Amino acid sequence: MYIDLHKVANIKESLNYHDEFINERYFQWQTPNSTSQNTERGKGITFNEAKGVKLHLFVRKYREIDGKTKPYIYIGNGNTVEYKGEKPITVKIKLEHEIPTNLYKEFTIKI
């Protein structure tokens, strides 16, 4: 999963997903609006561990800074522990490894 934490200012509200680190061990992610719980893709996300699907998280704070595209940072694997909603599905993911505090702060403090 490739995730931009802070969306561009003029993005449509329907694409303004609420993706965020809850803390150093948990991440909230919203699926694309087309994903439903009863589809194979939805089941693969909501029941990833039981289905043997590895969720790899690549995150960047901003898509661009000063006109330059920023790289994603690999956060690691995670497993869905809670989910709710439809189109999009809001998913709470427990990360396999806690992210370092300095990286957590970098991602969560808005400048």
Side-chain angles (χ1 to χ4, degrees):
M1 302 179 325
Y2 291 89
I3 302 155
D4 292 334
L5 292 177
H6 300 289
K7 313 305 186 245
V8 293
N10 60 352
I11 194 169
K12 293 182 354 184
E13 185 56 35
S14 63
L15 300 176
N16 193 15
Y17 302 115
H18 301 283
D19 304 328
E20 63 184 347
F21 283 94
I22 298 168
N23 57 38
E24 289 95 335
R25 192 61 179 237
Y26 290 92
F27 187 81
Q28 175 182 290
W29 177 67
Q30 287 189 312
T31 67
N33 288 323
S34 60
T35 307
S36 174
Q37 290 183 28
N38 63 356
T39 63
E40 282 306 308
R41 178 167 168 74
K43 291 175 186 174
I45 293 166
T46 57
F47 301 109
N48 77 292
E49 199 168 13
K51 292 191 159 287
V53 175
K54 295 277 190 185
L55 300 179
H56 294 272
L57 281 78
F58 295 83
V59 178
R60 63 184 173 190
K61 190 169 184 176
Y62 298 101
R63 182 178 179 272
E64 270 186 12
I65 295 179
D66 296 331
K68 294 183 181 174
T69 302
K70 304 309 290 177
Y72 287 98
I73 297 172
Y74 181 64
I75 301 302
N77 292 324
N79 292 305
T80 299
V81 293
E82 292 177 20
Y83 61 92
K84 63 182 177 184
E86 283 281 355
K87 297 183 178 183
I89 305 168
T90 301
V91 179
K92 182 177 180 183
I93 299 169
K94 182 177 182 182
L95 303 174
E96 191 173 275
H97 301 284
E98 197 170 279
I99 65 168
T101 301
N102 62 336
L103 188 57
Y104 172 74
K105 286 180 181 176
E106 174 65 30
F107 279 136
T108 57
I109 296 171
K110 194 168 184 179
I111 55 172

